[in-house]
Amino acid sequence: MKQLINNHKPWLILLVLFMLVYPFIVGHSGYMVSIFVMICIYAISAMSLDLLIGYGGQISIGHAGFLSIGGYTVAILTSKLGLPFLLTLPLAGVVTGIIGLFIGLPAVRLSGHFLAVVTLGFGLSIPQIALNWDSLTGGYSGLSLMRPSFLSSDLQFFYVIVVMTVLITWLLHNILKSRMGRAFLAIRESEVAAQATGINVPFYKTVMFVISSFFTGLAGGLYGYWIGFVSPNDFTVVTSFLLLGMIVVGGLASIPGAVIGAIIFTVLPELTRSFVGVTNIIIGLAVVLIILFRPHGLISLFDAFKAKSKRKAGNDQDLLISEQEQGGTVKDVNI
Amino acid sequence: MLTFKDVTVKFAGVTAVKNLSFDVPEGKIFSIIGPNGAGKTTVFNCISRFYTPASGSIEMNGTDLLKLKSHQVIREGIARSFQNVELFANMTVLDNLLTGLHPNLKKNIFSIALNLPSVKRTEKESIKKAYEVMDLLSITDLAHEKVSNLPFGYQKMVDIGRAIIAEPKLILLDEPVAGMNPVETEKISQLILRLKQEMNYTVLLIEHDMSLVMKVSDYVTVMSFGEKIAEGLPKDIQKNPVVIEAYLGEVEDGAEII
Amino acid sequence: MQIIVSGLIFGCIYALAALGLVLIFKTTEVANFAHGEMAMLTTFVSYVFLTSYGFPYLVSLVLALLFATIFGLFVYFVFMKRVQSAPHLNQVVLTLGLFMVFNGVAGIIWGYQPSSFPEAFHGDPYEIGGVFISLNEIFVVILTLILMLGFFLLFRFTRLGLAMRAASQDTMASELMGIKVSGVFMGAWAIGTALGGIGGMMTAPVTFLSPNMMSEVLILAFAGAVLGGFISLPGAVFGGLIIGVIENLISYYIAPELKIVFVFLLILIVLYIRPQGIFGGAKIIKKV
């Protein structure tokens, strides 16, 4: 375990360094920086969704609704009430978290397909509400908002987003590897056994929804500030599918998996953006192929590679007899 | 310690358990035996609060269990294993055991998210505890193995380990040696005896394997068709004609009964 | 009254789509989120028969349904069969992936511009007791009724129906009893897709023909299926009809744009009170 962390640390530091110098590498290209920011926003959302789906086993196919709520929260609070950035951004998380609570409460009683339909309905409803609640949301024309003066340049705000992404990743990582993360996994694996080990299943299911929507709301808030404008068409049901695609293609229940998925599904549509049909086919095919042939996502390629090199290192004894077995997934088991 | 009083359980008109009363004394191994479908697991599921009896009362040291929800039962010091192992299959052995410690770890979301030193410390203690339990079960070398990769016998061990790690007062074991070979059975019976003698646990055991029951039990209750037909010391039960009769039909096709 | 009758007619379309969904779910335990897109493709195919080949409506309908049947089998064999024992999440995500693929395929072949689609029957609406109803709407209602009746008879009185009921109860046991479960699953996908296709062809004259025409129908059909408990065929029909009426009432009295929001709130409330849906009894699971 210790070895694994030691192995990961230099890579993580390198990754953070890369994020910090990225604008200079791409020569301050607004387009490239913008793509990077969208990757960050989607990565936060995908990790949050992964907490709910990959770890907790609770499906949501309307998660883009939470992104919208986050975006609208900062837009409304800034433009209508004139609240400062340092207050609106956390509030974006809090407001979205509260909405998540309202979705989570009934969701606790539902399982599988019923939950899928309810969350889909939620994802469809949010843009409709945004479109029709003119007085609050500006309806079809949306709402524009100003960044605070000390963060007015794109470069400054880029760093805000990088710091937030790193921070949220760290927080989510801590939550997921804690007793709370284990409780989520336990609920996914067996609700009966989870209950027998003293896990309050309905409570933790609600908590999952709240945490997940809180962080997604933050991502939505960041998006609102980055673009300076929110509209009902920013995050539709297709975005929800995209988020779902990200975590599935990247690999469920894995933070790096969610990030890989976010990168792929942010860059792919950019490459094919002039053809909606092609974009849909590519995204759809990617999801279909992964489910059929790599149900544990791209990240499982790494695990398989790791296991292979470990076995090569000399201990190809039967796993159960082998005493030196130190950790990691060795066999790729289909659930 | 654990008291059943006139407990009756019905499913859609069928009576699964009828007027069952018994009392599990502290520090003893108490076994419930009986042919298939006698209602033994139903008894466990009532204690775990997955089922609610139609009438009667279940008390643990004077606390009314029927007022609790499933996840609160463990707080009264009752942990259980499952007949067909209900493990968290895609988690490692270590994580399964750590999940068993859930009720003992009280930490709020903020300290967890920030990974404060107090969280790190309790986490370290938990892992140490988990290794102690794995040592006891001699499965330490499997700590990082996914449970679904283990043979059934080891899974049963993990299931028992997850129940004892939270240091309950009473452990419910649902057919701990079902599907095990004689060597494994012997290991488990040693373990059950150690639980009682060295760690002062009270054990409520459901089992088909008569050799195990006779070896470890202090008291035996026999159930048939949802009713208690006999109760007493193992050696008396063995001679009890009512019990033998209830089991006769079973002996022919049930090879587990030795 | 007019609102309720129009709602019921729309409800018939939702009921048809929901019936296909429930049929597939009940037998194979897959909630098919690509159902609407499959129906959309079927409708496009019928459109090709109608315009490019100039076949009469009824011939096109039959040919399109033939296509739907084969299409359903294709989806089952190529995709769904492989994930039959995978977790529900994988199945749901797979159908969502197919949703995107079918949507993209239709977009590339036929473009995203909506075009008009003919009705089965033309003619001025009749007035019956103060309610206006067109010949085409009568056709929709009668078609739905015939299909319902057909299903009822199929499930009650034929061997296939018995096999379907058995397979949906317990796959393993049915297999052991000599029921060809894969055959039953094939049947469910073929018939389910055809039902969706009929729903699509009934929808197209109203919404115009486009790759996105079924997304709203799909969610409303799902709402109907959920209201009906997701495993009950009559439940799906009643659920679809109820959704149709409610949708129309909301459109008329509140705002047409907000109908999805209110339907969503409705299913949320219903499921909060009865997590198993109105017709999906917890203890006595009602199977047709």
Side-chain angles (χ1 to χ4, degrees):
Chain A
M1 194 67 195
K2 200 123 204 172
Q3 256 180 342
L4 268 169
I5 293 168
N6 285 343
N7 281 342
H8 283 179
K9 228 170 200 162
W11 293 108
L12 286 178
I13 292 169
L14 222 64
L15 186 66
V16 172
L17 275 179
F18 171 73
M19 288 170 87
L20 292 178
V21 297
Y22 177 82
F24 302 97
I25 297 176
V26 298
H28 295 284
S29 148
Y31 176 68
M32 295 300 278
V33 170
S34 187
I35 287 186
F36 195 90
V37 166
M38 284 318 288
I39 289 177
C40 287
I41 286 164
Y42 280 134
I44 298 173
S45 316
M47 286 186 290
S48 312
L49 183 62
D50 204 14
L51 178 138
L52 191 64
I53 297 183
Y55 289 86
Q58 308 302 304
I59 196 163
S60 162
I61 45 180
H63 228 60
F66 293 122
L67 268 172
S68 286
I69 294 173
Y72 271 101
T73 306
V74 292
I76 292 164
L77 291 180
T78 326
S79 64
K80 308 249 151 147
L81 299 177
L83 293 182
F85 172 75
L86 290 176
L87 207 59
T88 52
L89 193 62
L91 277 176
V94 171
V95 169
T96 317
I98 293 170
I99 306 280
L101 177 72
F102 282 115
I103 300 296
L105 278 179
V108 160
R109 291 160 58 99
L110 305 175
S111 59
H113 305 100
F114 286 102
L115 186 57
V117 174
V118 167
T119 51
L120 177 63
F122 167 74
L124 282 166
S125 297
I126 294 299
Q128 303 275 346
I129 294 173
L131 197 59
N132 290 289
W133 198 345
D134 280 2
S135 55
L136 189 69
T137 62
Y140 185 73
S141 41
L143 279 177
S144 56
L145 69 159
M146 289 288 284
R147 271 183 233 154
S149 54
F150 63 98
L151 291 170
S152 56
S153 90
D154 273 3
L155 191 63
Q156 283 166 331
F157 204 73
F158 171 84
Y159 285 113
V160 172
I161 287 180
V162 166
V163 169
M164 284 300 290
T165 309
V166 173
L167 181 71
I168 290 173
T169 311
W170 182 68
L171 294 174
L172 281 170
H173 171 75
N174 286 339
I175 292 173
L176 291 171
K177 76 170 179 61
S178 72
R179 65 183 277 263
M180 197 176 259
R182 283 194 298 269
F184 295 164
L185 282 171
I187 291 171
R188 180 192 76 186
E189 295 290 317
S190 163
E191 288 189 19
V192 171
Q195 230 147 15
T197 47
I199 293 166
N200 185 343
V201 173
F203 173 76
Y204 275 99
K205 280 188 182 175
T206 318
V207 167
M208 280 180 223
F209 267 94
V210 173
I211 296 178
S212 179
S213 51
F214 173 82
F215 286 118
T216 313
L218 284 183
L222 288 173
Y223 172 85
Y225 273 111
W226 174 253
I227 303 287
F229 178 74
V230 287
S231 77
N233 290 324
D234 289 344
F235 302 111
T236 59
V237 169
V238 176
T239 318
S240 298
F241 293 175
L242 261 181
L243 288 174
L244 199 59
M246 287 173 194
I247 60 173
V248 168
V249 168
L252 285 173
S254 153
I255 286 179
V259 175
I260 291 172
I263 295 172
I264 293 174
F265 279 126
T266 314
V267 175
L268 262 187
E270 287 297 327
L271 300 178
T272 58
R273 67 180 315 157
S274 41
F275 313 98
V276 190
V278 179
T279 311
N280 285 358
I281 291 183
I282 289 177
I283 292 168
L285 267 186
V287 170
V288 169
L289 292 176
I290 286 284
I291 289 279
L292 289 183
F293 299 109
R294 270 270 147 206
H296 296 276
L298 292 176
I299 201 76
S300 67
L301 291 172
F302 287 95
D303 289 343
F305 178 73
K306 245 192 284 178
K308 215 179 218 172
S309 57
K310 202 190 292 172
R311 250 176 242 156
K312 267 203 188 121
N315 97 44
D316 39 10
Q317 281 281 319
D318 189 347
L319 312 164
L320 299 170
I321 309 166
S322 130
E323 304 245 324
Q324 310 100 296
E325 191 54 59
Q326 281 300 313
T329 11
V330 179
K331 262 187 193 165
D332 201 19
V333 181
N334 271 325
I335 318 162
Chain B
M1 189 177 206
L2 178 78
T3 314
F4 264 60
K5 213 185 225 163
D6 295 325
V7 172
T8 299
V9 186
K10 286 181 181 163
F11 298 117
V14 181
T15 308
V17 172
K18 197 172 170 189
N19 287 331
L20 181 69
S21 301
F22 63 81
D23 187 53
V24 181
E26 191 157 356
K28 302 288 180 198
I29 297 177
F30 191 98
S31 297
I32 301 178
I33 61 170
N36 282 328
K40 298 174 304 242
T41 300
T42 308
V43 169
F44 272 21
N45 284 339
C46 285
I47 302 172
S48 295
R49 298 294 295 109
F50 295 138
Y51 301 157
T52 299
S55 63
S57 73
I58 307 173
E59 285 184 3
M60 173 74 180
N61 287 335
T63 312
D64 185 0
L65 287 186
L66 299 181
K67 287 201 179 120
L68 303 180
K69 294 200 171 110
S70 300
H71 66 269
Q72 294 166 328
V73 171
I74 197 156
R75 266 187 242 156
E76 299 305 314
I78 304 174
R80 75 173 284 184
S81 77
F82 291 86
Q83 188 175 351
N84 297 313
V85 294
E86 275 289 333
L87 287 166
F88 309 125
N90 289 300
M91 293 164 78
T92 62
V93 171
L94 178 63
D95 279 343
N96 265 275
L97 294 180
L98 288 175
T99 309
L101 274 176
H102 184 88
N104 301 22
L105 298 166
K106 293 278 167 255
K107 277 285 165 267
N108 67 51
I109 172 83
F110 297 105
S111 46
I112 286 173
L114 297 170
N115 203 14
L116 294 180
S118 64
V119 174
K120 282 186 188 160
R121 200 182 55 241
T122 52
E123 188 74 11
K124 233 179 222 162
E125 284 164 8
S126 316
I127 292 174
K128 200 172 144 234
K129 186 90 178 288
Y131 272 95
E132 282 169 21
V133 172
M134 284 189 277
D135 275 338
L136 178 77
L137 300 167
S138 46
I139 51 172
T140 313
D141 46 322
L142 301 175
H144 295 286
E145 198 64 55
K146 246 197 209 172
V147 168
S148 55
N149 291 353
L150 300 180
F152 192 64
Y154 283 101
Q155 295 193 359
K156 281 258 173 187
M157 296 280 225
V158 179
D159 200 5
I160 295 170
R162 189 181 59 189
I164 61 179
I165 193 168
E167 298 184 347
K169 295 176 213 139
L170 172 67
I171 302 173
L172 314 179
L173 298 178
D174 196 345
E175 301 202 9
V177 300
M180 287 198 175
N181 62 37
V183 182
E184 290 171 326
T185 305
E186 178 58 29
K187 245 166 112 184
I188 296 273
S189 65
Q190 294 298 333
L191 174 69
I192 295 173
L193 285 172
R194 280 179 67 194
L195 290 179
K196 178 183 85 163
Q197 287 154 0
E198 294 173 24
M199 285 168 269
N200 290 320
Y201 286 126
T202 310
V203 178
L204 177 56
L205 176 73
I206 291 179
E207 191 45 72
H208 259 314
D209 187 315
M210 283 301 177
S211 67
L212 175 76
V213 170
M214 294 307 156
K215 192 165 154 192
V216 303
S217 307
D218 295 305
Y219 297 100
V220 179
T221 282
V222 189
M223 286 178 74
S224 182
F225 294 106
E227 286 182 88
K228 183 162 89 176
I229 55 171
E231 185 178 54
L233 299 171
K235 61 178 192 322
D236 299 334
I237 292 293
Q238 260 171 322
K239 293 180 211 134
N240 189 326
V242 184
V243 177
I244 294 167
E245 199 200 319
Y247 263 96
L248 261 181
E250 181 92 352
V251 174
E252 287 172 349
D253 51 352
E256 302 129 298
I257 296 154
I258 303 165
Chain C
M1 190 61 197
Q2 176 73 50
I3 301 161
I4 292 176
V5 171
S6 317
L8 282 175
I9 290 159
F10 264 103
C12 283
I13 295 172
Y14 302 142
L16 285 173
L19 200 58
L21 277 175
V22 170
L23 184 70
I24 291 172
F25 180 75
K26 200 171 133 76
T27 39
T28 68
E29 295 215 315
V30 171
N32 181 18
F33 282 89
H35 194 65
E37 304 311 284
M38 291 166 76
M40 176 270 292
L41 277 185
T42 307
T43 313
F44 264 110
V45 168
S46 75
Y47 185 69
V48 170
F49 286 128
L50 275 171
T51 54
S52 304
Y53 297 96
F55 290 151
Y57 188 88
L58 214 59
V59 177
S60 305
L61 176 82
V62 172
L63 286 176
L65 292 187
L66 199 66
F67 165 80
T69 312
I70 297 165
F71 188 33
L73 291 177
F74 167 78
V75 169
Y76 170 66
F77 275 111
V78 178
F79 303 108
M80 302 319 293
K81 200 172 183 208
R82 297 159 188 263
V83 293
Q84 197 58 58
S85 53
H88 287 322
L89 176 68
N90 292 24
Q91 298 171 343
V92 167
V93 173
L94 180 58
T95 61
L96 286 173
L98 291 176
F99 174 103
M100 301 286 284
V101 173
F102 297 151
N103 186 284
V105 167
I108 285 177
I109 301 178
W110 293 291
Y112 282 90
Q113 283 301 323
S115 47
S116 65
F117 189 88
E119 299 183 321
F121 296 95
H122 305 280
D124 293 327
Y126 299 94
E127 194 191 329
I128 305 166
V131 177
F132 288 94
I133 184 164
S134 73
L135 198 57
N136 191 57
E137 289 170 335
I138 294 172
F139 171 68
V140 171
V141 174
I142 290 175
L143 190 66
T144 311
L145 287 176
I146 290 173
L147 286 167
M148 309 275 131
L149 190 69
F151 260 92
F152 176 75
L153 296 175
L154 177 81
F155 259 76
R156 266 291 139 79
F157 300 112
T158 68
R159 282 176 60 92
L160 178 67
L162 185 69
M164 276 188 165
R165 274 187 290 164
S168 64
Q169 294 270 3
D170 187 337
T171 313
M172 178 104 75
S174 312
E175 193 92 63
L176 290 172
M177 295 300 288
I179 293 169
K180 275 221 162 116
V181 173
S182 65
V184 173
F185 285 7
M186 279 162 57
W189 275 96
I191 300 171
T193 311
L195 281 173
I198 298 175
M201 290 180 69
M202 302 298 121
T203 312
V206 189
T207 61
F208 291 103
L209 186 64
S210 90
N212 296 326
M213 66 180 233
M214 287 305 279
S215 51
E216 200 173 291
V217 177
L218 177 77
I219 181 66
L220 293 171
F222 258 115
V226 163
L227 273 190
F230 229 117
I231 45 158
S232 154
L233 293 175
V237 175
F238 284 115
L241 293 176
I242 291 170
I243 294 287
V245 172
I246 289 173
E247 181 210 6
N248 235 22
L249 287 173
I250 291 166
S251 299
Y252 188 79
Y253 287 108
I254 305 171
E257 304 85 18
L258 284 176
K259 63 188 178 193
I260 294 230
V261 179
F262 279 91
V263 168
F264 162 66
L265 279 177
L266 175 82
I267 54 176
L268 202 63
I269 293 165
V270 168
L271 288 179
Y272 192 65
I273 300 163
R274 270 183 77 83
Q276 68 278 35
I278 294 176
F279 288 84
K283 276 180 239 150
I284 319 139
I285 295 168
K286 201 181 168 202
K287 308 237 175 188
V288 186

